Amino acid sequence: QCLLTYLGYDPGGIDGLDGQKTRQAIRDFQTAENLGVDGVAGEQTAIRLKDAVWQDRFAKDNIVPSSGQPPDLPDWWSKYKWFAPSEFRCPCGKCGGGIEKMHEGIVAEANALREYLGVPIVIVPPDGHSGGSGYRCQSYNDSLAGSVKNSRHVQGKAVDIITRGVPDEKVEARLAQRKAAGKIRYWYRISPGAHHMDIE
């Protein structure tokens, strides 16, 4: 499930269970990789999953705005190998995602943190509502308890990240270093394994 999520497939969360959404995500991956499609992560599928992660063969971005056309994304997206643009989409499911509104500086910082930690970071989980967040449309932002009207998420200048398997102290030490260097404006721990960071 972790590898599927990292590649942009939707196993319905990372819970270790072989549920319907996990099997569908495996089938989607098998189809994309021209494997036999059975929804089972057998030996060939497992090998191909690891290869896909190693070679950054991400799932095709399936976020299409209400206009029916994919957004025109700036060329700078291609510089950041650890994230697909779809990972920064608004989780509301109504606004078209807003990934074209993300600021390069925050994507660069998320990428740098991923490089430093050496493990995948989740920005917006596949279910869209489990703690991570990149861009937020104003309507979605307003619907969240505790959000502020002038949120940097609405400006495309903030991310909430999920770092499973990494001590919070390690993440926070790095965020503090980046803040001291003037690379990020503000950060805080949302909950264990989840942090917010934003830029000017």
Side-chain angles (χ1 to χ4, degrees), residues 36-182:
V37 178
D38 61 5
V40 176
E43 184 178 353
Q44 283 301 110
T45 299
I47 289 169
R48 195 68 69 87
L49 270 168
K50 291 173 188 172
D51 285 346
V53 169
W54 181 255
Q55 297 172 11
D56 293 331
R57 289 194 314 267
F58 297 104
K60 186 175 180 183
D61 184 6
N62 62 1
I63 301 300
V64 178
S66 57
S67 68
Q69 298 297 318
D72 289 327
L73 297 178
D75 291 338
W76 58 257
W77 275 104
S78 63
K79 295 191 303 190
Y80 302 106
K81 70 178 187 174
W82 295 115
F83 297 101
S86 61
E87 294 178 79
F88 294 85
R89 73 193 181 281
C90 179
C92 77
K94 299 174 187 171
C95 72
I99 52 179
E100 71 280 4
K101 298 175 184 171
M102 286 302 298
H103 190 279
E104 182 178 9
I106 196 66
V107 176
E109 284 304 312
N111 194 72
L113 184 61
R114 165 50 177 104
E115 290 271 348
Y116 175 78
L117 296 175
V119 297
I121 292 174
V122 177
I123 305 294
V124 176
D127 67 5
H129 299 283
S130 296
S133 188
Y135 174 75
R136 294 180 191 159
C137 67
Q138 189 68 59
S139 176
Y140 179 71
N141 187 71
D142 292 347
S143 74
L144 299 174
S147 67
V148 295
K149 197 77 168 164
N150 60 346
S151 169
R152 293 212 181 270
H153 286 282
V154 176
Q155 301 169 26
K157 294 182 175 182
V159 292
D160 294 340
I161 56 174
I162 299 170
T163 53
R164 293 187 179 99
V166 178
D168 285 329
E169 295 75 20
K170 182 175 182 178
V171 176
E172 291 163 5
R174 183 60 173 181
L175 293 173
Q177 288 173 348
R178 300 303 284 173
K179 184 177 188 310

